[in-house]
Amino acid sequence: DVKVTQSSRYLVKRTGEKVFLECVQDMDHENMFWYRQDPGLGLRLIYFSYDVKMKEKGDIPEGYSVSREKKERFSLILESASTNQTSMYLCASTGGLAGARSSYEQYFGPGTRLTVT
Amino acid sequence: GDSVTQMEGPVTLSEEACLTINCTYTATGYPSLFWYVQYPGEGLQLLLKATKADDKGSNKGFEATYRKETTSFHLEKGSVQVSDSAVYFCALRTSAGRRALTFGSGTRLQVQP
């Protein structure tokens, strides 16, 4: 059974704290993604990674950074949390090398609901 | 750029009613199209997909047909159940460029007994 796990389901942090969200997949996938989900906005891409130590900005990277030191693990970092980063964060992964077919399914983790007070 | 437009919710139906959730898209090239479902408290899971024009994706009684001429991928089910209550997301991915999905805003479906 394929699996994407996220380190926390719920997290409460204070403004200005450094926050780490961890994601692990057991499918040996090359590509991993971080999205945030907000009501009425759907899912928006923050960052993605197509290989170890490789990363690319998505649509809303401001205030975030990422780390991928091992193939199975992709971390999202909020350098200095702010209240407008209160959201649901979803990690996903998919297989395929460069030029991968567009039909490949993305597998999602259960999400981390982050509240910044 | 790529975009997906879904009908706004919530959609409230009685059990055994027919469901249609509209989805239209704008994309460069020839995208693959997906419907994902999110049950309360869970992450997203793939419901169905279609990879080329006129393909029909189907799963769990849901269907959607890839209509290139109208750039649409509407989700349909003939008879909904209470257990279908969830948020449904239409999404696309093109083979060129990045491998992320572009999502619509989601449509919440509530099915009443």
Side-chain angles (χ1 to χ4, degrees), chain B residues 27-39:
Chain B
T28 53
Y30 300 95
S32 290
L33 302 174
F34 305 83
W35 276 101
Y36 278 81
V37 58
Q38 184 179 36
Y39 298 105

Side-chain angles (χ1 to χ4, degrees), chain A residues 2-86:
Chain A
V2 297
K3 212 157 198 178
V4 179
T5 56
Q6 296 183 227
S7 50
S8 305
R9 293 299 300 270
Y10 301 93
L11 212 51
V12 179
K13 295 292 181 180
R14 298 206 172 182
T15 301
E17 278 193 81
K18 190 167 186 175
V19 182
F20 293 86
L21 303 183
E22 305 285 339
C23 175
V24 177
Q25 51 94 4
D26 65 359
M27 296 165 281
D28 201 35
H29 282 165
E30 290 79 10
N31 310 289
M32 296 186 74
F33 309 85
W34 276 106
Y35 297 90
R36 64 176 279 175
Q37 179 183 3
D38 299 289
L41 297 177
L43 277 73
R44 294 177 291 166
L45 181 68
I46 304 172
Y47 266 98
F48 67 102
S49 168
Y50 51 88
D51 201 353
V52 175
K53 296 192 186 295
M54 305 302 286
K55 61 185 179 185
E56 286 196 28
K57 293 180 180 179
D59 298 319
I60 51 165
E62 297 78 18
Y64 303 94
S65 62
V66 291
S67 172
R68 192 158 180 211
E69 297 296 318
K70 293 185 178 181
K71 190 175 185 180
E72 68 271 18
R73 188 179 298 270
F74 191 37
S75 303
L76 179 69
I77 303 156
L78 286 66
E79 297 290 344
S80 177
S82 64
T83 55
N84 63 12
Q85 292 178 311
T86 291

Side-chain angles (χ1 to χ4, degrees), chain A residues 8-12 37 87-89 111-115:
Chain A
S8 305
R9 293 299 300 270
Y10 301 93
L11 212 51
V12 179
Q37 179 183 3
S87 187
M88 170 72 88
Y89 290 88
T112 296
R113 185 166 294 282
L114 172 67
T115 302

